[in-house]
Amino acid sequence: MTFAVGVDAGGTSTRAALVDAAGVVLGTGRGDGANPNAHAPEVAAGRIADAITAALGGRDPGGVRACVVGMAGVSKLSDPAIAAVFDAAWARIGLTGVVRTVADAEVAYASATAAPDGTVLVAGTGSIAGRIRKRRLAGTAGGYGWLLGDEGSAFWLGREAVRSTLEALGRGSSLDGLPSAVLAEALGPSGVDVRTDAERLAASRALITNANAEAPVRLARFAPLVSAAHDAGEPAAGEIVARGAGLLVANALAAREPGESTPVVLVGSVLTGTSPVGALVRRGLTGLEVLTSSDGVLGAAWLAAVDAFGEGAPRPALLGK
């Protein structure tokens, strides 16, 4: 009996699924995050290998005809030394020569549609738009990381929330709503007790110090505060949401050819149905077929099945997470 294995390896969790030629899910495995930009390569590779082993469940790894690993931070494998670490992990579990690593955006796209060409727009902690051709990532717009881009992402929304709060402090504006929520999240309840000019200056300095004391992506923790303030009708939050959605739509369209009618697949927490940014992005893409990624590991398993069994391979359906 022969199999295919799909893996969705993100920054916080890793999932693997073993399928047969009929699309039946025979086993699953999971583990902690395996983004080699966020974890040591040996750790990331080991977590993916362990998830695959769990999905095999004692079956002979020699029966695996193809394995597709969708990985956040896959560009890290362009370093030969790091690629060698992952190759060693595949060899350790008996999968030499059958593993194909791809960007996580590719498996997210494949989880939503069988169409070979289209666009994937990702907005979670970071953001990127990708042009998909023949189910491969053929080009990108955005996705330059927190220092150079990540427009519209949770990081970007959180950063704008902090900047908006600093502006309110500096200009003597009201701190009701989003500024108070940001100060409370960053500095605790006492951080909201700001009345005098001296206290505003002290709060501003403390907020800047707090933001710079942590990894930049930690600014994403302020993103839900923007959504809540937007839903409460706060103008400053509404402006942040509108700008973020506009930037995401612009990147999605930049990844497409003029007049292209292929699907757009939305991926990530910022683009969910309950997100105000997601709602505006969908409105900005009116006239296009807009889909939502369902399950990255499902997409990875199907891509592996296509590699192993051909274009007629049925799409697997996963039960549970």
Side-chain angles (χ1 to χ4, degrees), residues 106-171:
E106 288 186 26
V107 302
Y109 177 84
S111 76
T113 178
D117 301 333
T119 305
V120 58
L121 178 61
V122 182
T125 302
S127 68
I128 189 172
R131 181 168 59 256
I132 301 294
R133 294 294 182 267
K134 297 181 180 179
R135 304 193 184 96
R136 305 289 181 95
L137 192 64
T140 60
Y144 307 135
W146 66 267
L147 183 61
L148 300 175
D150 280 348
E151 302 90 348
S153 67
F155 158 79
W156 185 93
L157 293 167
R159 186 193 66 185
E160 294 306 299
V162 172
R163 291 181 61 173
S164 179
T165 300
L166 290 170
E167 289 175 1
L169 285 166
R171 295 175 180 176

Side-chain angles (χ1 to χ4, degrees), residues 168-173 175 183 190-205:
L169 285 166
R171 295 175 180 176
S173 304
L175 299 180
L183 289 169
S190 61
V192 183
D193 188 17
V194 177
R195 296 184 179 86
T196 68
D197 288 344
E199 289 171 339
R200 282 177 174 268
L201 181 58
S204 178
R205 289 171 173 170

Side-chain angles (χ1 to χ4, degrees), residues 196-284:
T196 68
D197 288 344
E199 289 171 339
R200 282 177 174 268
L201 181 58
S204 178
R205 289 171 173 170
L207 180 57
I208 293 170
T209 298
N210 178 274
N212 284 298
E214 299 183 304
V217 294
R218 280 282 292 154
L219 288 171
R221 75 186 191 275
F222 298 108
L225 306 181
V226 177
S227 296
H230 170 276
D231 293 344
E234 188 172 336
E239 189 269 340
I240 293 171
V241 166
R243 281 196 294 122
L247 290 166
L248 288 168
V249 170
N251 276 345
L253 296 179
R256 298 171 67 80
E257 297 172 5
E260 186 175 336
S261 60
T262 59
V264 179
V265 175
L266 305 183
V267 187
S269 58
V270 174
L271 297 173
T272 63
T274 59
S275 162
V277 174
L280 287 182
V281 166
R282 285 175 175 82
R283 190 181 307 170

